Amino acid sequence: RPYVGVGVGGVRVDLDNIDIGGGDGVNDSDWTWGAQAFVGADVMLTQTVSLGGRDRYQYVGETNFLDFDGDPVSIDHIAAHSIEGVLKIRFNGP
């Protein structure tokens, strides 16, 4: 069974005591927007178990933080691409 999907939503990014060099660090969080798109296929092994794979692309928008001295630190957008194995088990039947 092939499938495709997309999603858009809010993303919370937490930086916990991250060293940014020069004795400075960041321990802050920020909200931004994110999106993902994926395409995949599943093969039914039984009526309740399927095995498959998917290709997923994720995007997280720019984030802004304050370092330990109160100076602003920005991180540009982040994009990730992954290939994933998927095992699905249905507990309520087909």
Side-chain angles (χ1 to χ4, degrees):
R1 296 195 281 197
Y3 60 90
V4 296
V6 296
V8 177
V11 178
R12 181 178 171 93
V13 179
D14 292 311
L15 299 182
D16 296 321
N17 296 318
I18 304 297
D19 183 5
I20 58 173
D24 286 332
V26 177
N27 187 20
D28 198 5
S29 61
D30 189 24
W31 282 93
T32 188
W33 70 279
Q36 70 174 345
F38 54 89
V39 59
D42 290 338
V43 175
M44 296 299 294
L45 301 177
T46 69
Q47 287 189 345
T48 59
V49 177
S50 65
L51 187 62
R54 69 179 170 193
D55 183 18
R56 181 164 62 164
Y57 174 79
Q58 294 174 289
Y59 178 92
V60 176
E62 181 180 330
T63 51
N64 298 293
F65 305 95
L66 296 177
D67 69 10
F68 292 152
D69 295 328
D71 298 322
V73 176
S74 294
I75 298 177
D76 201 6
H77 70 275
I78 300 168
H81 182 264
S82 61
I83 297 174
E84 305 170 348
V86 179
L87 173 65
K88 293 181 185 175
I89 302 172
R90 293 187 187 94
F91 295 102
N92 61 348

